[in-house]
Structures are given as structure tokens and as C-alpha cells.
Amino acid sequence: MTTHVADCSVTSCSCNDHTNCNAAAITVSGAEEHAHCATFIETGSHGGLPKVLADVGACQRAECVHNDHLMCRATEVHIGPGKDNADCLTYAHR
């Protein structure tokens, strides 16, 4: 079972469609104590799939309380501006 991307407030991302993420899946990456959406793409054209709402495909932040063998086990994930343009706002360090 994957974790759903509940919303994304990064309107400059090509996969953002009215705060919904249309990527098939996102990857959460970053550095310790900071997690960002590695799927973020800032271009002038819209991308992603027309009716798909993304899930977290993989999470590389092993120190996050929601991470279980590189899979996100949070109830849902919120993506938005933070330290980078697109951060995982659900990230919580163990």
C-alpha cells in the first residue's frame, strides 16, 4: 500500500493541477532533517497524467518516523514550499 499525496501547494511545479499532484508517483529525497520532493519540475509546460493523483513511490529519508524500508507509512503526505521549492511537509525526524 502506498501513501497518497493529499495536496501540493507548489503551483510552479509542472505536475501541479490546482493543488493536486498529477505525477504517477513522487520520490521524497533530501538530506537529514530535510526532505524535499525530488519529482518537482519547474517548466512552462504542464506534465503528469490527466487524472492521476500521486502517491509516494519511494522515500529516501530513512530517518523519518514514517519511513519503513524506504516506503512512506504516513496517513497522507503534504508537499509545499519550505527550505526548497517543494518539500515534504509531513516529514518528521525520528
Side-chain angles (χ1 to χ4, degrees), residues 5-22 26 37 40 77-82 84-90:
V5 177
D7 56 65
C8 176
S9 59
V10 185
T11 56
S12 61
C13 182
S14 295
C15 295
N16 188 309
D17 183 19
H18 301 92
T19 72
N20 292 311
C21 180
N22 283 352
I26 69 164
C37 178
F40 170 74
V77 166
H78 302 274
I79 304 295
D84 288 322
N85 288 330
D87 283 359
C88 178
L89 303 178
T90 309

Side-chain angles (χ1 to χ4, degrees), residues 10-71:
V10 185
T11 56
S12 61
C13 182
S14 295
C15 295
N16 188 309
D17 183 19
H18 301 92
T19 72
N20 292 311
C21 180
N22 283 352
I26 69 164
T27 298
V28 176
S29 183
E32 190 169 338
E33 308 222 9
H34 172 244
H36 69 260
C37 178
T39 312
F40 170 74
I41 302 170
E42 187 172 19
T43 65
S45 60
H46 182 72
L49 303 169
K51 300 217 182 228
V52 171
L53 300 177
D55 288 329
V56 178
C59 178
Q60 299 174 355
R61 302 298 359 119
E63 76 286 348
C64 180
V65 298
H66 304 294
N67 190 307
D68 181 17
H69 296 91
L70 303 180
M71 297 298 295

